[in-house]
Amino acid sequence: MSTFGVPIIGIIGGIGAGKSAVARELGKHFSVHLLDADKAGHRVLLDQTVKATLAAEFGDQILDEHGEIMRKEIAKLVFGNSPSQLQARAFLDLLIHPAIRSQLEAELVQAIETGVELVVLDAALLLEAGWNKLCDVIVFLETPLEVRLERVQQRGWSEEDLLQRELSQLSLVEKQKYADFVLKNSGPLEQVGRELADYIQKRFFKVDSNPVPV
């Protein structure tokens, strides 16, 4: 059990693997608080110092007419494996990852004070940023590429967008090596959520009792 006093579950997988959906499904079985690193990253990019630092490094073309960061422009600079993209991504990560972690930890403390049973951390770069050290268990979602591609296309991404972003992360093979539990996410979401809930129940709670729907 983590030093925070409740189990912290890190969910990893490929882009579009369904991490957020599975985390929400867990909420039908336990009292869950979802830590969303992507949302925390959005908040960090609103910080005036962060915006000024990024504009100084990458140029004003990353800002819209209101002076806000355009995430799509940042993505063009940092996603991929060219030398310039690697350098830009390293700069970005060094700037924003500590701030994101601080926000996540503060939110985590607040969530625990409300009496939640579980905390789920959904972060695309959970391993790369070292946030797996906050977690008691790492769950890897094994999701077919065609399913993931269909999901990201609904966000307006192309297959190239998906592949370029995945080049900036650990490979799925490497990610799975960190997993305590591998969960196939190709069936009905309800079934996937139940399987994960059963695993968590046995791992952290009484084996002879069933998760109680919230």
Side-chain angles (χ1 to χ4, degrees):
M1 187 77 69
S2 74
T3 57
F4 292 95
V6 301
I8 300 175
I9 314 300
I11 300 183
I12 60 175
I15 295 172
K19 297 184 287 294
S20 297
V22 171
R24 288 192 297 269
E25 190 67 21
L26 265 184
K28 298 178 181 179
H29 305 280
F30 301 98
S31 173
V32 174
H33 181 81
L34 175 61
L35 288 177
D36 190 326
D38 189 54
K39 288 184 178 179
H42 277 260
R43 294 192 295 268
V44 168
L45 291 179
L46 294 174
D47 181 85
Q48 293 298 327
T49 300
V50 170
K51 287 190 287 187
T53 303
L54 289 176
E57 177 70 15
F58 300 134
D60 289 341
Q61 70 268 19
I62 66 169
L63 303 175
D64 64 16
E65 63 272 22
H66 304 294
E68 300 298 332
I69 298 290
M70 293 188 290
R71 290 168 60 89
K72 286 187 176 180
E73 295 303 314
I74 292 287
K76 293 176 185 177
L77 295 171
V78 304
F79 291 127
N81 271 344
S82 71
S84 62
Q85 288 168 324
L86 291 172
Q87 182 177 356
R89 188 161 67 248
F91 179 87
L92 179 68
D93 290 348
L94 187 62
L95 176 66
I96 69 170
H97 280 179
I100 293 175
R101 177 168 179 144
S102 294
Q103 288 204 14
L104 293 176
E105 289 182 343
E107 185 180 343
L108 173 58
V109 171
Q110 291 178 351
I112 291 172
E113 289 175 350
T114 68
V116 297
E117 295 177 289
L118 293 176
V119 172
V120 176
L121 175 54
D122 176 6
L125 298 178
L126 187 147
L127 298 174
E128 292 86 344
W131 296 332
N132 54 306
K133 296 174 184 176
L134 291 172
C135 303
D136 297 292
V137 159
I138 300 294
V139 177
F140 178 86
L141 295 186
E142 188 177 299
T143 310
L145 175 60
E146 60 270 20
V147 174
R148 298 193 295 111
L149 180 58
E150 181 179 352
R151 288 173 179 163
V152 300
Q153 285 175 333
Q154 293 173 1
R155 307 177 195 171
W157 293 17
S158 66
E159 183 174 2
E160 183 180 358
D161 291 332
L162 171 63
L163 296 177
Q164 282 296 316
R165 287 179 181 248
E166 289 206 327
L167 281 175
S168 68
Q169 300 181 10
L170 289 175
S171 70
L172 298 185
V173 172
E174 287 299 315
K175 284 184 178 183
Q176 189 166 334
K177 291 179 182 179
Y178 286 84
D180 299 290
F181 183 60
V182 177
L183 182 62
K184 292 185 181 296
N185 189 22
S186 52
L189 184 59
E190 181 178 343
Q191 176 184 329
V192 175
R194 165 58 65 178
E195 186 177 348
L196 180 54
D198 287 345
Y199 168 78
I200 291 172
Q201 182 75 27
K202 293 174 183 176
R203 178 86 182 239
F204 297 105
F205 302 102
K206 293 181 180 179
V207 177
D208 58 353
S209 62
N210 293 317
V212 179
V214 176

